[in-house]
Amino acid sequence: MSFRTSPSADYVEDVSPGRGTLPPRAWYAASDAQSLSLNGNWRFRLSATADAEDDSFAEEGYDAGGWAEVAVPGHWVLQGDGAFGSPIYTNHLYPFPVDPPHVPTENPTGDHLRVFDLPSDWPSDGGAVLRFDGVESCARVWLNGTELGEFKGSRLPHEFAVGHLLKPGGNTLAVRVHQWSAGSYLEDQDQWWLPGIFRDVTLLHRPAGGVGDFFVHASYDHTTGEGTLRVDSDVDGRVTVPALDIDVATGESVTVAVEPWTAETPRLYDGVLATEGERVPLRIGFRTVVLEDGLVKVNGRAVLFKGVNRHEWHHEQGRALDLETMREDVLLMKRHNLNAVRTSHYPPHPAFLDLCDEYGLWVIDECDLETHGFTEQDWRDNPVDDDRWTPALLDRAARMVERDKNHPSIVFWSLGNEAGTGRGLTAMAEWIHGRDPERLVHYEGDWNCRDTDVYSRMYAFHDEVEKIGQRLDGGTRGRRELPFIQCEYGHAMGNGPGGIADYQELFEKYERLQGGFIWEWIDHGVKHPELGYAYGGDFGEELHDGNFVCDGLVFPDRTPSPGLIEYKKVIEPVHIEGDGANGTVHVTNKQDFADLSALAFEWSCQVDGETVESGSLAVPALAPGESAEVKLPEPPADGRGGERQWTVRALLADDTSWAPKGHVVAWGQFAAGARPLPSFPATDRPVREAGRITLGPAAFDARTGALLSIGGVPVGATPRLDVWRAPTDNDEGAEWQTDTRYGTLWRTLGLHRMRHRLVSVEAGDDALTVRTRVAPAAREVGLDTVYRWTSDGERLRLSVSVTPQGDWTVPLPRLGVRFGLPEADAVEWFGGGPGEAYPDTRAASMVGRWRSTVDGLQTPYLRPQENGARADVRWVELGGLRIEGDPEFWFTARRWTTEQLDAARHRTDLTPGDTVWVNLDHGQHGIGSQSCGPGPLPKYFLKAEPAEFAFVFSTTG
């Protein structure tokens, strides 16, 4: 046997999908046929180019003892402590010259070698298939010195027939993987570029008469309650479903009474497909998906998608996910009221779809296709409009559909993402419609809906979404008759997303609007020994898009972010609204299929944030869409005259597969009576002596009017007006949004470097008044600010009056006072919590008594930015002080200044100082979603206009 010493890698730049692979077929997790996992440690050699090494490593007996090792599944750039190169992050730019189908000569190539023995009981009859579930981006394969072929399509399965090549021991499997190939032009998704064999490698025995490809058709007739089952199979056999007394031949239909499958009620029936040589377990869900009356309907009902886009990600393993990590994703989604997932932007590991079937999630299964980088040249030479690439596109569509077609959770096939338009996409849509007319086709880029069954958009602003809901959005008549889905909205980058409650209100108001999918599920931070989590640019990439890859509802370790907590509240399946005056609560079932029999309801009454009484609440098992008025008990007597509230919760009545009994599904909170207003009689007068002014419990600097202490508690920095916040990713906005990027506008105006000019210090008969002007250098605008201090002898009241001067053309980031305390740790407050909230991200903020530490108040966004504000605060205690608001206020405390927070790139850049910096804010500007979508709605703007607010300080000792 001979090997070429100067190998040709022409196949790397071939636009075809490859050669030598078997036709795609249905995936199943197990059967009674034997299999052998080839996952584990493989020998590994990295070369700089595709032609750097010859093929001799594939020969039997090759000595790779001096090679390194990598784990498979895995990405070599995430192993070896940097010895094997580094990850690259780009949003849409290709990290190589756009010269399709060519790729650079500098093409990192990893040779993988695995020697394995067959198990002693491996059958000697039949054949065998070698299966690769995912390799990025191009692989060439040999077994025992024989070349099997090569393939492209990173997130798709590829199989080779290898039974004739196997031997009992010493089988040599060699795989050459190229980082760049012609296929890379089709895989320009917003994610890290990570080469390697990152999904399972498996050897499958294929017995004589074994199962081939098969297609489970399981429809449901909502008018009769019956399901019809037919399993088409390449190999004749029988299908049995014991729970339904079904025993039929493949290809035959049978109709029986069934419980349907939905995301809310994911009923699966266990069955078996048995051929002469093999038995394959089936998990069958009966459901029918149609486009009817201009709506997506499942089992006769329109569906409202409350979804999320999910990239596969693990902060150490990249896209090499294990089953438990996938299960954790699904459980988190279910526990936070999500009902749908779009597999952006490629088919996931098939085990994830099994979990969606089991636990209940609607799925848009998306093809492994994106050519976004061609936007840089106005889509010129875009592969999806070039007939040479069509076979590769059809191959990708077929491998997705054939692999995943037996999952009841999948309701849409998606052609891909951000690939422009063209003949290739039309060919894909036509093939999919022909192969599986029982599902719908999605693609966001097809705004004329030529190839799709739904009008889909990304980041449409609220006003446009409302016009679409009203069918006033223009476009073709055919498009206006289709349902609308926001396949991406609510960009969850950093602090945010804001405004999703306003979107949900529109989704629920207009029938045509069938929901949306937040972008996205998880921050793609890479675990880093020095930075904590790394993002784009931290590996010295030539081109990168920074922390744009950190835009998820969960942090890299899968800790829920405030955005996920907010989303859970916004999309909760039960609406609870109360009328404290009448002592009633209005309950609405917002689910599409399930009644409320799985939930138990409880009420509690709080006085000044503390629960004083609670009990169960009898709520009928309302059908979907139904409402009921339920009487609350008489509120408990209260002799304190405090603020009283009702809280009503909907809880799981029993354990479920995804959460335990008592898990909170939804809640509502409302006042039980009018809030008592605080009073403050000013009785003391300022006294000047020895360079100081005393007023009640407080001491001030007589020259500057700066507060020095309150009742013996030193104040490290006096309260003074503060309008700056460390801009969030959404404040900074996307690069293409040049006119309304608030972070940029604020910096241009100079709000990050305001100067304070003391005008006067006046010690009057009943108050100490300090007048100042706060303004940025080089600008004529300013804020005339008056601090008026009064005391009742034990407490100190600060009243702040702000009057803008000049032409303010931008809103303020925040408006309040900031001061420093030399010592503070434990924090207790009565107000919104337990987590952060801002004007358009406050749906999940529950009023109560909360406790934390200063460090616990921080939200650990990967790129440090404004975070940690608590809303609707009545009072807060920390550092020996109690601070009450008139009216409620926003409260923030941290161990670094806003300026230090602003300057930091990573969490590790923040070093706690000796001072705790406290912000007491009268107002905050909204958050919005402008890192990729709209900014805050105008109603959440913090306008520069006259304002007055006050705080009362006292000591807690």
Side-chain angles (χ1 to χ4, degrees):
M1 187 176 295
S2 63
F3 290 85
R4 297 190 298 271
T5 56
S6 299
S8 170
D10 291 345
Y11 64 91
V12 173
E13 295 183 338
D14 190 342
V15 299
S16 73
R19 60 181 179 85
T21 57
L22 294 170
R25 64 186 178 112
W27 185 91
Y28 47 91
S31 79
D32 62 352
Q34 232 174 315
S35 65
L36 175 65
S37 171
L38 297 179
N39 296 345
N41 290 330
W42 290 46
R43 290 291 183 176
F44 178 76
R45 175 181 66 187
L46 182 64
S47 303
T49 69
D51 287 331
E53 303 287 348
D54 61 31
D55 304 342
S56 60
F57 82 106
E59 186 175 3
E60 295 179 90
Y62 182 88
D63 182 8
W67 288 20
E69 286 190 347
V70 294
V72 170
H75 306 277
W76 70 67
V77 293
L78 296 182
Q79 304 182 59
D81 294 326
F84 306 140
S86 300
I88 298 170
Y89 168 60
T90 60
N91 168 30
H92 77 280
L93 297 173
Y94 288 105
F96 47 81
V98 181
D99 182 23
H102 305 298
V103 294
T105 301
E106 297 82 10
N107 187 358
T109 295
D111 289 335
H112 298 70
L113 198 62
R114 171 75 188 264
V115 178
F116 65 93
D117 300 329
L118 295 178
S120 59
D121 59 348
W122 189 267
S124 58
D125 63 327
V129 164
L130 177 64
R131 182 182 184 93
F132 294 88
D133 279 306
V135 182
E136 184 175 333
S137 72
C138 173
R140 186 179 177 194
V141 185
W142 297 261
L143 181 62
N144 292 331
T146 297
E147 183 174 349
L148 304 179
E150 74 271 344
F151 60 84
K152 307 176 189 74
S154 299
R155 270 68 69 172
L156 296 162
H158 295 85
E159 293 181 331
F160 297 95
V162 297
H164 60 294
L165 298 174
L166 291 172
K167 55 187 182 178
N171 292 283
T172 300
L173 176 58
V175 184
R176 173 163 287 170
V177 180
H178 307 282
Q179 175 157 20
W180 311 123
S181 70
S184 300
Y185 284 98
L186 304 180
E187 296 172 6
D188 189 26
Q189 294 97 338
D190 175 13
Q191 60 181 351
W192 294 95
W193 298 87
L194 299 172
I197 306 173
F198 68 95
R199 287 187 186 158
D200 307 290
V201 182
T202 311
L203 184 68
L204 304 166
H205 176 241
R206 303 310 304 138
V211 173
D213 190 24
F214 63 95
F215 198 160
V216 177
H217 303 272
S219 61
Y220 178 72
D221 186 336
H222 65 280
T223 64
T224 65
E226 293 178 321
T228 299
L229 175 67
R230 186 185 83 248
V231 178
D232 295 332
S233 175
D234 288 354
V235 178
D236 291 341
R238 296 197 69 80
V239 176
T240 55
V241 186
L244 298 175
D245 293 326
I246 290 177
D247 185 346
V248 295
T250 55
E252 292 184 6
S253 296
V254 58
T255 299
V256 296
V258 298
E259 298 174 35
W261 188 98
T262 75
E264 296 166 10
T265 57
R267 179 67 163 94
L268 293 172
Y269 290 91
D270 291 327
V272 174
L273 168 61
T275 63
E276 180 182 356
E278 188 177 12
R279 292 170 59 86
V280 173
L282 304 176
R283 303 201 77 188
I284 302 166
F286 291 86
R287 58 103 185 96
T288 297
V289 183
V290 297
L291 181 64
E292 184 179 83
D293 302 324
L295 297 171
V296 177
K297 292 185 179 180
V298 179
N299 302 338
R301 292 178 179 267
V303 173
L304 185 61
F305 296 104
K306 304 170 183 178
V308 69
N309 288 272
R310 174 187 176 268
H311 269 296
E312 293 183 303
W313 186 252
H314 185 278
H315 60 275
E316 293 176 316
Q317 276 78 52
R319 288 188 285 278
L321 300 188
D322 58 33
L323 180 61
E324 287 313 305
T325 299
M326 292 184 251
R327 189 185 307 276
E328 185 178 357
D329 278 346
V330 172
L331 292 177
L332 278 169
M333 290 177 188
K334 293 291 289 185
R335 290 168 184 167
H336 290 86
N337 294 332
L338 279 79
N339 71 1
V341 60
R342 175 178 175 230
T343 69
S344 54
H345 296 296
Y346 42 83
H349 191 291
F352 178 78
L353 299 173
D354 281 344
L355 295 168
C356 294
D357 295 341
E358 177 183 352
Y359 292 101
L361 289 169
W362 307 115
V363 174
I364 297 179
D365 195 3
E366 193 147 270
C367 195
D368 189 12
L369 172 62
E370 180 166 337
T371 62
H372 199 173
F374 284 89
T375 58
E376 295 297 308
Q377 54 201 56
D378 297 323
W379 297 107
R380 188 174 56 258
D381 298 327
N382 186 9
V384 305
D385 200 28
D386 183 336
D387 291 338
R388 294 176 301 165
W389 295 80
T390 299
L393 303 181
L394 290 172
D395 178 76
R396 289 173 184 244
R399 290 187 182 278
M400 171 183 68
V401 171
E402 302 295 7
R403 189 196 77 168
D404 296 342
K405 59 183 176 281
N406 296 323
H407 291 282
S409 56
I410 298 173
V411 292
F412 277 101
W413 301 115
S414 180
L415 303 181
N417 183 71
E418 292 176 319
T421 57
R423 292 162 290 175
L425 288 168
T426 299
M428 292 171 69
E430 290 175 349
W431 184 90
I432 292 174
H433 275 123
R435 176 58 174 149
D436 183 19
E438 298 168 358
R439 291 183 176 92
L440 305 179
V441 171
H442 166 274
Y443 178 64
E444 181 272 338
D446 182 16
W447 284 18
N448 290 325
C449 301
R450 179 183 63 179
D451 302 323
T452 61
D453 299 309
V454 63
Y455 179 29
S456 178
R457 289 283 301 280
M458 297 179 180
Y459 309 107
F461 287 24
H462 296 78
D463 56 351
E464 184 182 5
V465 170
E466 181 155 32
K467 289 180 181 178
I468 293 171
Q470 297 167 334
R471 302 186 188 275
L472 300 176
D473 52 304
T476 64
R477 177 180 176 184
R479 189 184 83 181
R480 292 197 305 274
E481 293 174 349
L482 292 179
F484 175 79
I485 290 174
Q486 282 255 73
C487 71
E488 292 180 23
Y489 82 111
H491 199 250
M493 185 176 177
N495 188 335
I500 57 175
D502 304 277
Y503 274 120
Q504 192 65 24
E505 183 179 338
L506 294 172
F507 296 159
E508 295 176 5
K509 181 178 180 180
Y510 298 103
E511 184 182 53
R512 186 190 184 193
L513 308 180
Q514 291 199 252
F517 296 77
I518 295 291
W519 185 268
E520 62 162 307
W521 176 241
I522 189 168
D523 284 347
H524 300 204
V526 178
K527 191 72 173 178
H528 193 282
E530 298 172 1
L531 303 176
Y533 290 110
Y535 50 75
D538 289 330
F539 297 98
E541 299 102 305
E542 182 179 49
L543 294 173
H544 68 86
D545 286 287
N547 67 312
F548 202 69
V549 77
C550 302
D551 46 14
L553 292 174
V554 297
F555 295 121
D557 63 358
R558 286 179 161 74
T559 299
S561 76
L564 181 58
I565 306 303
E566 176 81 358
Y567 195 38
K568 176 186 178 181
K569 175 61 179 170
V570 166
I571 61 175
E572 59 189 8
V574 183
H575 182 64
I576 300 170
E577 187 175 29
D579 185 340
N582 294 327
T584 59
V585 60
H586 187 82
V587 179
T588 302
N589 181 1
K590 298 169 76 171
Q591 298 179 105
D592 296 321
F593 299 93
D595 63 23
L596 297 187
S597 59
L599 301 179
F601 290 78
E602 68 176 26
W603 62 268
S604 60
C605 186
Q606 292 81 38
V607 176
D608 290 341
E610 292 185 304
T611 297
V612 295
E613 196 170 331
S614 62
S616 61
L617 188 67
V619 175
L622 300 171
E626 287 188 345
S627 299
E629 292 281 346
V630 181
K631 188 69 175 175
L632 291 166
E634 288 296 321
D638 171 39
R640 294 182 289 175
E643 180 179 351
R644 295 194 297 175
Q645 288 178 312
W646 292 104
T647 303
V648 176
R649 294 177 173 87
L651 320 168
L652 288 181
D654 296 293
D655 291 344
T656 69
S657 62
W658 50 270
K661 176 182 178 180
H663 168 78
V664 177
V665 173
W667 58 271
Q669 193 175 57
F670 48 97
R675 180 190 172 194
L677 298 176
S679 63
F680 189 90
T683 58
D684 280 29
R685 60 179 299 172
V687 177
R688 185 190 297 265
E689 55 184 0
R692 289 195 174 194
I693 296 174
T694 59
L695 177 61
F700 299 83
D701 183 288
R703 183 178 60 86
T704 64
L707 177 66
L708 303 175
S709 65
I710 302 174
V713 176
V715 175
T718 188
R720 66 176 187 172
L721 191 73
D722 190 14
V723 299
W724 181 242
R725 71 184 188 196
T728 68
D729 291 312
N730 286 304
D731 290 335
E732 298 285 17
E735 292 181 0
W736 57 87
Q737 298 163 321
T738 56
D739 297 331
T740 58
R741 297 170 63 194
Y742 295 106
T744 299
L745 294 173
W746 292 337
R747 289 186 197 278
T748 299
L749 187 58
L751 300 189
H752 60 306
R753 48 176 176 77
M754 300 291 274
R755 296 291 181 258
H756 298 252
R757 176 169 63 86
L758 180 62
V759 176
S760 65
V761 177
E762 305 164 8
D765 291 340
D766 61 349
L768 172 63
T769 302
V770 180
R771 302 182 186 276
T772 67
R773 178 176 170 84
V774 183
R779 304 292 175 183
E780 64 177 355
V781 298
L783 300 168
D784 289 347
T785 306
V786 179
Y787 308 91
R788 188 173 187 271
W789 298 93
T790 57
S791 176
D792 65 358
E794 295 183 357
R795 299 178 297 167
L796 182 69
R797 186 175 193 268
L798 168 62
S799 177
V800 182
S801 175
V802 180
T803 304
Q805 301 293 334
D807 184 15
W808 285 85
T809 59
V810 298
L812 299 173
R814 69 174 353 125
L815 181 67
V817 297
R818 174 169 59 163
F819 68 99
L821 291 174
E823 293 183 9
D825 187 22
V827 184
E828 181 175 357
W829 73 98
F830 172 29
E836 74 179 26
Y838 290 82
D840 53 350
T841 66
R842 64 193 300 173
S845 182
M846 177 184 287
V847 174
R849 288 275 289 270
W850 307 104
R851 294 174 178 81
S852 179
T853 61
V854 170
D855 293 339
L857 293 173
Q858 314 310 308
T859 302
Y861 295 116
L862 268 66
R863 185 191 73 81
Q865 56 198 271
E866 167 62 33
N867 73 90
R870 269 56 180 181
D872 302 312
V873 176
R874 279 73 162 160
W875 57 256
V876 61
E877 293 181 353
L878 81 163
L881 292 181
R882 178 185 176 96
I883 307 163
E884 301 172 69
D886 183 11
E888 298 96 341
F889 59 99
W890 309 82
F891 161 72
T892 310
R894 52 178 68 102
R895 299 187 186 277
W896 35 78
T897 65
T898 300
E899 291 72 23
Q900 291 168 329
L901 184 64
D902 189 11
R905 291 187 66 248
H906 295 87
R907 303 176 192 170
T908 50
D909 295 334
L910 294 169
T911 302
D914 296 331
T915 300
V916 171
W917 294 94
V918 179
N919 277 92
L920 310 175
D921 290 321
H922 175 62
Q924 281 268 359
H925 187 61
I927 295 296
S929 187
Q930 201 171 11
S931 52
C932 197
L937 288 170
K939 64 182 179 180
Y940 301 120
F941 280 29
L942 180 59
K943 296 178 180 178
E945 55 190 13
E948 291 188 10
F949 49 94
F951 306 99
V952 176
F953 298 81
S954 58
T955 59
T956 60

